[in-house]
Amino acid sequence: MQADLLFLQAKVYNSYFKQWSTNNVAVKDGKFFYIGLRGEDTFQAKQVINAEGLYMVPGFIDIHLHIESTMVTPESFSAGLLRNGVTTIVPEPHEMANVFGLDGVLEMIKASRNCPVDMFYAIPSSVPSTSMETTGGSIEIEDMDALLSTGDVICLGEIMNYVDIITDPDCKTNRILEHIRSHYPELVIEGHVPKLLDLDLQRVIYAGVNSDHTHQTLQGLEERIAAGMFIEIQEKSMTPEVMDYLIRHDVSEHFCFVTDDVMADSFRSRGHLNQIVRKAIGMGMSPERAIYAATFSPSRRMRMYDRGSIAPGKIADFQLISDLSELKLESVYKNGAEVYSAAKAFEPQSSGYRFPEHFYHSVQLDELSAADFEAAAGVEDGIYRCRVMTIQDGSTFTKESQVDVPAANGRLLWEDSGCGMIATFERYGKGRQKAFGFIAGDTIQRGAVATTYSHDNHNLLVIGHNVEDMVLAANTVIRQQGGFCVALDGEIKANMHLPVGGILTEDPLDLAAESVQQVREAMEELGYKHYNPIMSIATHSLPVSPYLKITDHGLIDVNAGKVVPLIIEQV
């Protein structure tokens, strides 16, 4: 009997039993053909591989992530995935959608088609995430219909505006949900519902949103599973109490592991979804259950029944691992062909894909001056109690605090208040709106940072402790059509160029990792205290992430779902 590959004496993971068995494995036409004791006496294979001592594990499947979080193109991202045993992903390009609308999503799909990793896209469902921000593009119901006709889409991406679902029956989000339920009843609907409990949580589930990938508490996790939600566990949810619950309870069918956002430097040094699995094993979860949560349960959530297990007829995406606790990777196979080997130099081939020319000219903003950073211009002399966005290490959630700031000569004298300034500038040429706030806590204590990588609207975001550095950082980013710039005392300390939409680089992953590391270290030098300072600052403008955020419309009270003034009262 003919086969393309025959692996002998591999320790094969069986997803259906969550167990290992020593077997021979035949692969034919890119699929698994046979798993059992029959070997060379039965199969005439083009290549026979002695896999004795190696664990054969399905390729990892990540069903919730944003390629743009790594700030590289799909091609560079795919190469990084292969080195970490990930063979299938479900990316949601809502960052590109916020910059370019439908065109942004379609171009990301095009850029993915020649990548060795399978990429099945999620439709960005919340672009913009709220009505309280200006974006470069939007995704409307007719755009969703167009995307579903491409055959490259597998689900409706995370529904983010949970406040409107609950409070506004006629809002855009509820209209989208009604359209999907009516016209595509089998389509998976993903959710983003941080901190919701009890009635509010169940109202969102009733609307059709039946997964959550946000930061989990033990109470929230249990309530979600009890209500039928599928939980996507990212690293920040892997607290001892959450992991203990997942280990002690029979809930394997109700959760999987995902990465959501991975910075390029972390991707290079720590890995990707394999790092999450490795961490779970280190926290006491059995390898069998940890692997299940990165292979079989995510494949079933997304109804990808052709993968996620090593069984006859399934796509032959798999890894050979020599050390199970450390997930030491020896080789990766995609559709039955070796695509990565630890023993060989890894040189991914370029597809030559280039984005349309206008994707490199998305920052429609004139250079700024000191006058552009006058908060509450024209205010009368006196003392004013103002809102402060307070940053806290360990979370992308912020808190609201207050500070008394003197005013004189028509401006708030914030420089001696103990706070920094945060400002955002609309950069798509749609009104030139700008907004100001004050910032404190575990953020920079001197200098300035500017970026167009600011979720989800990706307008120009600037924080700083003196206007001169803020102007320098902001104008550097404007001149180079996007990026991250850190400045101190009139000197640029780090600068990352992001020319594609102001949010992506076309550099290989390793080069992008170097740039990200330099930005991270420069921010930490300025006093930023956070497990991920880049993601922290990028979510200061995310008006669906509690509690006080900022967009070009102003300061946003996220839980109330409204714009609130910087000045609370005169004291």
Side-chain angles (χ1 to χ4, degrees):
M1 193 173 297
Q2 297 297 316
D4 297 319
L5 299 173
L6 180 63
F7 294 84
L8 301 177
Q9 296 297 297
K11 298 176 184 178
V12 181
Y13 179 71
N14 186 294
S15 301
Y16 308 102
F17 291 138
K18 302 187 188 73
Q19 293 178 351
W20 305 94
S21 59
T22 300
N23 276 312
N24 302 324
V25 178
V27 175
K28 182 178 180 180
D29 298 330
K31 297 180 179 180
F32 294 112
F33 183 71
Y34 173 82
I35 299 93
L37 299 179
R38 293 180 180 272
E40 292 180 275
D41 55 339
T42 301
F43 298 101
Q44 290 75 54
K46 298 175 184 177
Q47 185 179 4
V48 178
I49 297 104
N50 180 6
E52 187 173 2
L54 297 178
Y55 297 88
M56 182 179 285
V57 174
F60 289 148
I61 300 171
D62 192 341
I63 62 170
H64 181 81
L65 61 82
H66 309 284
I67 294 173
E68 303 98 314
S69 294
T70 310
M71 294 184 263
V72 296
T73 62
E75 187 173 281
S76 295
F77 196 80
S78 177
L81 292 174
L82 291 179
R83 293 186 292 185
N84 292 282
V86 181
T87 54
T88 300
I89 61 172
V90 181
E92 182 186 339
H94 69 215
E95 316 305 346
M96 287 293 274
N98 272 277
V99 180
F100 295 115
L102 177 62
D103 284 348
V105 180
L106 291 174
E107 289 301 327
M108 287 293 280
I109 291 173
K110 288 179 185 177
S112 303
R113 283 183 177 151
N114 292 323
C115 296
V117 170
D118 286 335
M119 301 186 185
F120 301 101
Y121 276 78
I123 298 174
S125 64
S126 304
V127 180
S129 61
T130 72
S131 60
M132 298 176 291
E133 58 191 321
T134 303
T135 60
S138 65
I139 297 293
E140 307 300 330
I141 288 175
E142 56 268 27
D143 298 322
M144 296 180 181
D145 291 332
L147 288 166
L148 283 162
S149 70
T150 66
D152 296 291
V153 167
I154 202 168
C155 69
L156 182 65
E158 56 181 303
I159 295 288
M160 301 178 72
N161 197 349
Y162 55 88
V163 173
D164 275 5
I165 292 176
I166 296 167
T167 61
D168 184 0
D170 297 322
C171 70
K172 177 182 175 180
T173 302
N174 278 323
R175 293 198 304 272
I176 288 170
L177 287 169
E178 174 60 29
H179 181 77
I180 295 298
R181 292 197 308 266
S182 299
H183 294 85
Y184 310 97
E186 299 302 313
L187 191 69
V188 174
I189 300 175
E190 294 284 270
H192 171 113
V193 288
K195 294 186 177 291
L196 286 191
L197 296 170
D198 196 44
L199 177 60
D200 285 346
L201 173 65
Q202 295 193 34
R203 289 176 70 181
V204 170
I205 297 172
Y206 183 83
V209 179
N210 62 1
S211 81
D212 184 30
H213 69 276
T214 60
H215 193 172
Q216 299 298 324
T217 64
L218 187 57
Q219 179 187 4
L221 176 73
E222 193 162 36
E223 281 200 26
R224 282 157 173 72
I225 292 175
M229 258 192 165
F230 187 84
I231 310 301
E232 296 163 5
I233 298 290
Q234 56 175 295
E235 187 168 12
K236 66 184 178 183
S237 289
M238 296 175 73
T239 58
E241 59 270 21
V242 166
M243 291 304 296
D244 181 66
Y245 185 92
L246 297 176
I247 291 167
R248 289 190 300 105
H249 293 81
D250 184 18
V251 292
S252 292
E253 308 307 315
H254 305 291
F255 83 95
C256 73
F257 293 126
V258 299
T259 58
D260 197 6
D261 305 296
V262 179
M263 294 287 102
D265 57 342
S266 176
F267 201 156
R268 179 183 60 172
S269 63
R270 300 173 69 234
H272 197 259
L273 189 59
N274 57 330
Q275 163 59 19
I276 304 291
V277 177
R278 188 183 297 117
K279 182 172 182 176
I281 295 170
M283 295 182 75
M285 183 174 284
S286 71
E288 294 80 9
R289 291 185 67 182
I291 289 169
Y292 190 88
T295 56
F296 196 77
S297 62
S299 72
R300 291 310 178 265
R301 166 65 184 170
M302 288 297 160
R303 299 172 182 167
M304 295 186 286
Y305 301 121
D306 60 352
R307 65 196 69 208
S309 61
I310 298 171
K314 305 301 183 186
I315 292 174
D317 294 352
F318 60 96
Q319 316 165 59
L320 293 178
I321 293 171
S322 57
D323 184 320
L324 197 58
S325 62
E326 293 297 323
L327 296 182
K328 185 178 179 183
L329 190 60
E330 299 299 326
S331 55
V332 178
Y333 287 76
K334 183 77 185 74
N335 297 318
E338 187 181 71
V339 290
Y340 171 78
S341 170
K344 304 173 186 175
F346 182 58
E347 298 180 0
Q349 298 299 308
S350 173
S351 67
Y353 176 84
R354 181 174 169 83
F355 286 90
E357 190 59 33
H358 70 278
F359 276 48
Y360 303 91
H361 304 281
S362 65
V363 180
Q364 304 298 314
L365 185 63
D366 294 332
E367 291 191 21
L368 304 176
S369 68
D372 291 303
F373 288 92
E374 288 190 4
V379 69
E380 296 180 357
D381 292 358
I383 304 295
Y384 293 86
R385 185 153 296 151
C386 300
R387 288 183 168 84
V388 179
M389 183 189 302
T390 304
I391 311 307
Q392 46 190 345
D393 189 4
S395 177
T396 53
F397 298 161
T398 63
K399 292 181 178 179
E400 179 182 322
S401 55
Q402 299 176 2
V403 65
D404 290 344
V405 181
N409 301 319
R411 62 181 292 268
L412 289 171
L413 305 178
W414 59 272
E415 290 88 346
D416 296 321
S417 68
C419 299
M421 173 183 278
I422 182 167
T424 186
F425 299 84
E426 187 275 314
R427 59 107 159 175
Y428 301 105
K430 295 185 174 182
R432 307 299 189 201
Q433 293 187 109
K434 58 184 178 179
F436 301 94
F438 298 135
I439 191 165
D442 295 326
T443 183
I444 61 171
Q445 305 301 308
R446 55 201 179 114
V449 182
T451 184
T452 48
Y453 185 84
S454 55
H455 296 312
D456 280 339
N457 49 71
H458 299 292
N459 286 309
L460 177 66
L461 184 74
V462 189
I463 63 172
H465 283 267
N466 69 79
V467 171
E468 292 78 12
D469 284 339
M470 296 172 79
V471 170
L472 173 60
N475 286 341
T476 300
V477 170
I478 291 169
R479 283 193 293 269
Q480 67 189 18
Q481 283 294 307
F484 251 105
C485 183
V486 183
L488 176 65
D489 297 332
E491 178 185 352
I492 294 174
K493 307 294 290 186
N495 182 34
M496 184 176 186
H497 186 198
L498 299 173
V500 182
I503 59 174
L504 299 183
T505 175
E506 293 178 304
D507 286 343
L509 178 63
D510 287 347
L511 287 180
E514 291 287 345
S515 297
V516 167
Q517 183 175 340
Q518 290 169 9
V519 170
R520 182 196 300 268
E521 290 174 351
M523 291 174 67
E524 290 170 347
E525 181 185 341
L526 268 55
Y528 218 115
K529 297 177 182 178
H530 199 276
Y531 72 94
N532 189 340
I534 291 176
M535 185 53 62
S536 173
I537 190 174
T539 54
H540 292 355
S541 56
L542 183 59
V544 292
S545 176
Y547 288 95
L548 184 68
K549 297 296 171 77
I550 190 170
T551 74
D552 62 307
H553 287 216
L555 290 170
I556 308 297
D557 181 329
V558 174
N559 282 10
K562 65 179 183 180
V563 178
V564 293
L566 169 62
I567 295 174
I568 299 171
E569 60 184 353
Q570 187 172 6
V571 295

